[in-house]
């Protein structure tokens, strides 16, 4: 007890040091996130999304709205909701090797779709074409073409973009984005 009365500051110093040690990794992220908040990335904002899927063994075009925002624990945060309102997802986006990679998870069931797009140049960022990998609406593993657009597209416009920019290599069961 005599030591505490003579020098009680060592307890406070130890507690502050332990707290700073725990928070140190997050302080850097917080500073980086605060600086990034003021710079808008050209892919941020709302997008219209279109992809082919299967419902009851029929090929259908599914439409959704996707929003890209800055994230705190990841570089970018994604919110996605199908226009029929039945499914919604959230997830993260990152840019790697000149490609946009999105990983999402469903709010309502166990599903984790992944999207990959070629990174568009800033002056030509109205449309992004890519591939998705997940479960289709019949709960089978599936992959297919996906298009994100700043403007709403008609069914014919979506199909024209897919025919022009996505190639299915027959006999090899492989798809590739050409753009």
């Amino acid at each position: 007890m005599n030591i505490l009365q003579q020098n009680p500051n060592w307890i406070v110093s130890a507690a502050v040091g332990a707290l700073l040690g725990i928070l140190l990794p997050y302080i850097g992220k917080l500073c980086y996130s605060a600086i990034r908040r003021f710079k808008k990335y050209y892919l941020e904002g709302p997008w219209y999304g279109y992809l082919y899927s299967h419902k009851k063994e029929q090929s259908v075009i599914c439409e959704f709205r996707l929003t890209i925002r800055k994230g705190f624990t990841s570089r970018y945060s994604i919110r996605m909701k199908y226009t029929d309102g039945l499914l919604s997802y959230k997830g993260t986006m990152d840019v790697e090797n000149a490609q946009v990679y999105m990983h999402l998870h469903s709010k309502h069931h166990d599903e984790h779709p992944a999207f990959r797009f070629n990174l568009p140049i800033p002056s030509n960022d109205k449309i992004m074409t890519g591939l998705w990998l997940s479960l289709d609406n019949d709960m089978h593993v599936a992959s297919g073409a996906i298009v994100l657009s700043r403007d709403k597209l008609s069914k014919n416009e979506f199909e024209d973009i897919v025919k022009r920019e996505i190639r299915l290599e027959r006999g090899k069961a492989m798809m590739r984005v050409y753009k």
Side-chain angles (χ1 to χ4, degrees):
M1 196 60 147
N2 209 5
I3 294 174
L4 289 176
Q5 290 173 347
Q6 291 175 355
N7 195 1
N9 290 338
W10 73 272
I11 295 174
V12 174
S13 297
V16 169
L19 185 63
L20 284 175
I22 291 170
L23 295 177
L24 193 60
Y26 301 104
I27 292 171
K29 280 187 177 182
L30 183 63
C31 293
Y32 179 68
S33 179
I35 291 168
R36 277 190 333 113
R37 288 275 171 211
F38 298 109
K39 292 179 95 179
K40 183 174 168 76
Y41 190 58
Y42 69 100
L43 294 180
E44 284 184 73
W47 292 84
Y48 293 93
Y50 306 88
L51 58 84
Y52 285 113
S53 187
H54 285 90
K55 282 187 182 177
K56 298 178 185 169
E57 300 300 322
Q58 297 291 321
S59 180
V60 294
I61 296 173
C62 298
E63 295 181 34
F64 57 89
R65 290 290 304 213
L66 185 135
T67 304
I68 301 171
R69 307 183 292 187
K70 287 185 177 63
F72 178 68
T73 57
S74 63
R75 287 185 66 186
Y76 300 99
S77 172
I78 305 290
R79 301 271 185 215
M80 180 178 136
K81 187 170 189 169
Y82 279 89
T83 54
D84 61 11
L86 296 177
L87 296 174
S88 58
Y89 299 84
K90 61 182 180 176
T92 61
M93 180 187 95
D94 209 350
V95 177
E96 60 182 35
N97 297 328
Q99 294 179 345
V100 176
Y101 174 74
M102 298 179 186
H103 181 262
L104 299 113
H105 60 275
S106 173
K107 296 180 180 180
H108 309 290
H109 63 283
D110 189 23
E111 181 186 5
H112 298 271
F115 305 156
R116 191 171 287 271
F117 304 91
N118 286 330
L119 181 65
I121 57 174
S123 62
N124 190 21
D125 66 339
K126 296 285 186 203
I127 292 178
M128 288 196 298
T129 56
L131 301 174
W132 63 271
L133 174 64
S134 185
L135 302 173
D136 64 16
N137 290 303
D138 293 336
M139 301 309 287
H140 298 289
V141 176
S143 178
I146 183 171
V147 174
L148 293 182
S149 172
R150 292 286 189 184
D151 302 317
K152 195 165 179 67
L153 300 175
S154 70
K155 178 183 174 185
N156 290 336
E157 289 173 315
F158 167 68
E159 290 174 341
D160 288 344
I161 292 168
V162 169
K163 287 176 187 172
R164 185 176 63 240
E165 297 183 14
I166 307 286
R167 303 283 189 268
L168 175 62
E169 296 185 17
R170 305 232 182 254
K172 296 183 182 174
M174 187 172 116
M175 282 187 273
R176 194 179 275 176
V177 178
Y178 283 90
K179 185 175 178 185

